[in-house]
Amino acid sequence: MIHSDKGTDPPDKEDLKRSTPSNPEDGLSQILRLVLQELNLFYSRDVSGLCLLYDLLHSPWLQALLKVYDCLQEFKGKKLLPATSQAQALSHEVVEMLQAAPGSPEIQELRQILQAPHFKALLSAHDTVAQKDFEPLLPPLPDNIPEGEEAMRIVCLVKNQQPLGATIKRHEMTGDILVARVIHGGLAERSGLLYAGDKLVEVNGVAVEGLDPEQVIHILAMSRGTIMFKVVPVSDPPVNSQKMVYVRAMTEYWPQEDPTIPCAEAGLPFQKGDILQVVDQSDALWWQARKVSALGTCAGLIPSSHLLKRKQREFWWSQPYQPHTHLKSPMSISMEEEDDMKIDEKCVEAGKTIDEETFESEELSEDKEEFVGYGQKFFIAGFRRSMRLCRRRSLLPTLCCPSSCPSAAGAPYEEVVRHQRCPSDKHRLIVLVGPSGVGVNELRRQLIELNPGRFRTAVPHTTRSKKSYEVDGREYHYVSKETFESLMCSHRMLEYGEYKGHFYGTSVDAVQAVLDEGMICVMDLEPQGIQVARTHELKPYVIFIKPSNLSCMKQSRKNAKIITDYFVDMKFKDEDLQEMEDLAQKMETQFGQFFDHVIVNDILQDACAQLVSAVQKAQEEPQWVPATWVSSETGS
Ligand SMILES: Nc1ncnc2c1ncn2[C@@H]1O[C@H](COP(=O)(O)OP(=O)(O)OP(=O)(O)O)[C@@H](O)[C@H]1O
């Protein structure tokens, strides 16, 4: 019973009495219910530490739990033996007896239960286990093995639908057929009887001497059921002492299109961004791996990092020369190419006169920059027209496709670890990426407005002069050209561009300032900026905002407008939507390996809900991140 100095009544004595295990009616769930009830009481009372401990140790439910624990421990030590290994036969007998017995509803019900197919299957499984009847029936070993022959091992494998999980090769000097590799998780490996280096002598009684590996494979392919190998065991069976590593594929790989793979069927196809568990790197050229999304499966062959890099280089040199294509939105390119004359025409068409002052002040409608939430007035920086138009002219070096350009290609695999952010750590930076006009800024704004106390955007820098109504550090950080250039040169700018003769950009420090305040920083970046942001200090979580299909977009963007250089926002034309789709595809092809999450922005409300949930998961659930982000933390 729990005593306390003050507070509510102790729990019902009868309840506690009933909770002791001496009362056989009690279930464990009853005890646990009482535990929870009492813990609730602890919470609601101001109990001193000593009393709490005293009460806790004397509480009947703790005693009851300990008794349950003891029983379980005792039970664990006991070796379970089946009461009978003939349960099926016994059930038959009972059914026959019941048939002769006078009919009563109970007897009828029992007969039905015993004859139900799933119950029969259960008894059959029970007897199989009780009789330890697990092994497949293997043919007897041949008894005419000549004496004095090399030490041989006879291996019988029962081939079901699955492949054998081993590859063979011919020894260059001796011509012997050897087991080249045994695939992890495959039939051969699970048997524990075949090793890389074993020499094949016979397969199903057929001598393999003088045969090509392809002929041996043909014999194997034709075999059904049990396959018998006669092998000369390798003197030193290889021991796999390597540690398992996880990698993110930074490129794609299709074994069926690779003529150099030792066995295309054993290859593991993968796409950019797939997380692979590499189980064997003992071979310099071909590793063994499986996808984390299918860990129960047999491993497959993938090119080693070194080999894949070489393949990328060879592929690149075999391609006709193509100047690097920019990942600029055709919408923005076409606008850049327009001459002033045309811009003037557009402005006249739109019934506006050019108001340079309005334009320079970059005024958006007030509700886009300021809003009232939580009884407070909030100002959202980073949404200004110049900043957004300037982003389209990003000065970051435009990356070419890492998989096809040897100079830009990084490692084809990036080692990753599963990392969970500690609640006391700074939040991860949330980066939104998407083709111009897809709704990156709309979603960003909606997210911030949803909870301005939790989400914020970084305040950008500019070299243009401050307007009278602006506040330094609110709309922008106003800096000199020299300061801006020094930030650029010291790689402290995550993105930057030039617009109407002024620099605009967002610095690492501006992002850090938001994170230091314990808030979640949400920014939008051009995809070529992702790699700059991928540092252990920011640990960005990249969300790709993707347009839905054309017909849906036509419907959902009927009233939407894109910002342009022409002082007025313009309605989407069909070509704009098509360009957006094409650009999204290019972005996915070139930068898909960096996307942690993809959201299709069709119905705005749904996309916003998905964004909220993705951001929460990024902060609160384990995610795959580059191993260097975590090792540099533990190292520091
Ligand atoms: N799901 C949606 N349904 C309807 N309209 C949308 C949706 N998403 C965005 N919009 C509208 O589309 C227009 C363009 O969106 P937004 O300004 O966010 O583009 P963006 O991706 O930030 O591109 P950029 O900044 O490069 O112009 C805006 O008028 C926005 O309100």
Side-chain angles (χ1 to χ4, degrees):
M1 163 117 154
I2 295 177
H3 301 276
S4 84
D5 297 342
K6 37 186 157 158
T8 41
D9 289 339
D12 180 356
K13 282 186 191 169
E14 273 310 301
D15 265 6
L16 295 180
K17 216 167 95 201
R18 278 200 301 272
S19 75
T20 57
S22 56
N23 184 348
E25 284 163 34
D26 275 346
L28 193 57
S29 57
Q30 165 80 349
I31 299 173
L32 290 174
R33 195 173 60 78
L34 288 167
V35 172
L36 290 176
Q37 267 179 16
E38 293 216 15
L39 285 179
N40 250 343
L41 288 178
F42 280 135
Y43 266 113
S44 54
R45 290 181 201 167
D46 182 17
V47 184
S48 84
L50 195 64
C51 288
L52 184 85
L53 192 62
Y54 181 87
D55 289 347
L56 201 66
L57 292 177
H58 281 82
S59 56
W61 53 262
L62 183 65
Q63 306 292 332
L65 273 187
L66 289 175
K67 276 192 188 153
V68 172
Y69 175 78
D70 285 346
C71 287
L72 289 175
Q73 282 302 104
E74 202 184 322
F75 182 76
K76 217 168 109 187
K78 279 187 188 157
K79 217 169 170 211
L80 282 182
L81 288 174
T84 172
S85 57
Q86 306 293 338
Q88 257 180 311
L90 190 63
S91 167
H92 276 306
E93 242 176 82
V94 174
V95 171
E96 272 171 27
M97 282 165 64
L98 292 178
Q99 261 153 4
S104 75
E106 287 82 11
I107 287 181
Q108 237 179 351
E109 192 186 351
L110 180 59
R111 220 171 42 215
Q112 267 172 7
I113 292 175
L114 294 179
Q115 286 180 315
H118 56 268
F119 190 77
K120 283 184 177 172
L122 178 71
L123 292 185
S124 156
H126 169 274
D127 288 353
T128 306
V129 176
Q131 292 163 20
K132 298 197 165 77
D133 182 17
F134 316 123
E135 309 294 330
L137 279 183
L138 299 176
L141 293 181
D143 47 15
N144 55 348
I145 302 171
E147 274 186 27
E149 198 180 77
E150 250 180 312
M152 298 257 187
R153 187 192 297 137
I154 309 287
V155 178
C156 288
L157 297 179
V158 180
K159 192 178 160 200
N160 306 321
Q161 305 294 356
Q162 49 182 324
L164 276 173
T167 60
I168 54 172
K169 64 178 179 192
R170 189 211 293 276
H171 192 283
E172 280 170 18
M173 316 282 279
T174 61
D176 291 337
I177 302 286
L178 304 177
V179 174
R181 74 192 86 235
V182 174
I183 307 287
H184 284 250
L187 192 57
E189 196 237 9
R190 278 185 283 131
S191 77
L193 297 170
L194 279 181
Y195 295 95
D198 283 350
K199 179 176 125 187
L200 282 193
V201 179
E202 277 180 20
V203 174
N204 279 351
V206 180
V208 301
E209 195 177 350
L211 296 186
D212 283 334
E214 289 71 29
Q215 290 172 299
V216 179
I217 287 167
H218 184 70
I219 299 174
L220 288 170
M222 291 293 107
S223 312
R224 292 277 167 274
T226 306
I227 303 182
M228 191 167 70
F229 295 93
K230 202 192 265 186
V231 300
V232 176
V234 61
S235 45
D236 260 333
V239 187
N240 184 13
S241 54
Q242 301 175 37
K243 84 174 189 2
M244 217 176 266
V245 290
Y246 292 87
V247 297
R248 185 193 303 271
M250 306 305 274
T251 180
E252 56 179 22
Y253 177 68
W254 305 105
Q256 299 292 345
E257 291 167 16
D258 182 358
T260 65
I261 188 166
C263 170
E265 289 71 34
L268 176 76
F270 55 81
Q271 296 192 341
K272 283 181 172 195
D274 281 349
I275 305 289
L276 309 175
Q277 180 192 53
V278 182
V279 289
D280 190 331
Q281 298 181 45
S282 53
D283 191 303
L285 298 180
W286 296 97
W287 292 349
Q288 292 186 31
R290 36 171 96 89
K291 291 186 188 168
V292 286
S293 51
L295 282 182
T297 55
C298 170
L301 293 184
I302 60 168
S304 68
S305 182
H306 171 74
L307 178 62
L308 195 48
K309 210 160 180 186
R310 204 170 73 196
K311 281 176 189 299
Q312 285 175 330
R313 237 177 283 138
E314 284 166 6
F315 174 80
W316 192 83
W317 286 114
S318 70
Q319 297 300 299
Y321 173 74
Q322 276 178 344
H324 294 159
T325 46
H326 277 247
L327 244 191
K328 290 284 171 199
S329 151
M331 284 188 240
S332 58
I333 292 169
S334 63
M335 283 188 285
E336 280 165 26
E337 284 164 358
E338 302 244 27
D339 55 27
D340 285 347
M341 184 71 169
K342 273 195 173 164
I343 292 176
D344 286 351
E345 279 167 17
K346 290 256 181 185
C347 294
V348 174
E349 259 175 50
K352 302 246 173 181
T353 50
I354 301 173
D355 180 352
E356 196 65 23
E357 180 56 35
T358 308
F359 189 82
E360 279 300 303
S361 74
E362 324 167 18
E363 271 173 322
L364 299 178
S365 61
E366 253 195 15
D367 65 315
K368 290 193 173 173
E369 289 204 17
E370 283 180 19
F371 72 100
V372 178
Y374 297 80
Q376 245 183 303
K377 199 170 184 189
F378 289 97
F379 186 90
I380 316 179
F383 286 93
R384 294 212 140 194
R385 182 185 293 270
S386 298
M387 180 66 204
R388 288 174 61 181
L389 290 173
C390 158
R391 188 171 285 131
R392 293 180 186 168
R393 297 166 162 80
S394 170
L395 292 178
L396 284 172
T398 308
L399 291 183
C400 45
C401 175
S403 60
S404 64
C405 171
S407 57
Y413 303 114
E414 174 182 62
E415 190 177 341
V416 289
V417 290
R418 201 100 170 112
H419 173 69
Q420 160 103 56
R421 189 188 71 88
C422 288
S424 56
D425 287 353
K426 282 182 204 167
H427 287 106
R428 295 183 64 178
L429 165 67
I430 301 295
V431 173
L432 304 185
V433 176
S436 187
V438 73
V440 165
N441 277 288
E442 183 64 52
L443 285 168
R444 193 159 65 106
R445 181 176 12 250
Q446 295 223 357
L447 185 70
I448 295 171
E449 286 187 8
L450 218 57
N451 192 347
R454 184 166 163 78
F455 303 111
R456 193 180 295 166
T457 191
V459 177
H461 284 61
T462 182
T463 55
R464 80 145 166 76
S465 51
K466 186 167 79 66
K467 313 277 169 201
S468 56
Y469 50 85
E470 291 175 334
V471 179
D472 190 11
R474 192 177 72 176
E475 288 87 354
Y476 289 107
H477 295 291
Y478 302 91
V479 292
S480 65
K481 208 166 172 200
E482 292 69 42
T483 309
F484 199 102
E485 278 169 352
S486 111
L487 285 169
M488 267 160 47
C489 296
S490 53
H491 306 289
R492 297 308 286 169
M493 287 317 252
L494 289 175
E495 55 165 357
Y496 52 89
E498 197 175 350
Y499 186 74
K500 292 204 171 243
H502 303 295
F503 284 131
Y504 296 84
T506 309
S507 72
V508 176
D509 297 336
V511 171
Q512 282 289 13
V514 177
L515 301 177
D516 285 345
E517 282 185 58
M519 303 186 74
I520 300 178
C521 183
V522 191
M523 70 181 296
D524 91 66
L525 269 186
E526 286 297 310
Q528 52 270 35
I530 298 175
Q531 266 174 304
V532 187
R534 286 184 101 230
T535 60
H536 90 275
E537 356 167 35
L538 302 181
K539 293 194 181 60
Y541 184 84
V542 181
I543 302 176
F544 179 55
I545 310 294
K546 193 176 165 169
S548 58
N549 64 51
L550 269 186
S551 57
C552 293
M553 292 289 285
K554 274 185 201 169
Q555 188 58 30
S556 62
R557 304 306 197 269
K558 255 191 330 215
N559 302 317
K561 287 186 174 171
I562 33 171
I563 62 163
T564 71
D565 280 4
Y566 315 132
F567 305 88
V568 283
D569 295 345
M570 310 272 270
K571 280 202 163 191
F572 284 95
K573 296 192 287 296
D574 286 359
E575 309 91 84
D576 295 332
L577 297 175
Q578 181 63 55
E579 282 164 3
M580 198 195 294
E581 188 175 275
D582 295 346
L583 189 61
Q585 229 162 45
K586 277 188 198 153
M587 283 184 174
E588 253 185 322
T589 313
Q590 294 196 10
F591 298 97
Q593 66 275 30
F594 299 121
F595 302 161
D596 293 292
H597 192 79
V598 177
I599 293 177
V600 176
N601 183 15
D602 183 15
I603 311 292
L604 189 56
Q605 253 181 342
D606 294 353
C608 193
Q610 285 178 44
L611 179 61
V612 172
S613 137
V615 170
Q616 184 155 345
K617 280 189 183 157
Q619 308 295 346
E620 286 161 24
E621 288 180 18
Q623 309 288 341
W624 290 107
V625 300
T628 48
W629 290 4
V630 177
S631 59
S632 50
E633 237 164 44
T634 43
S636 61

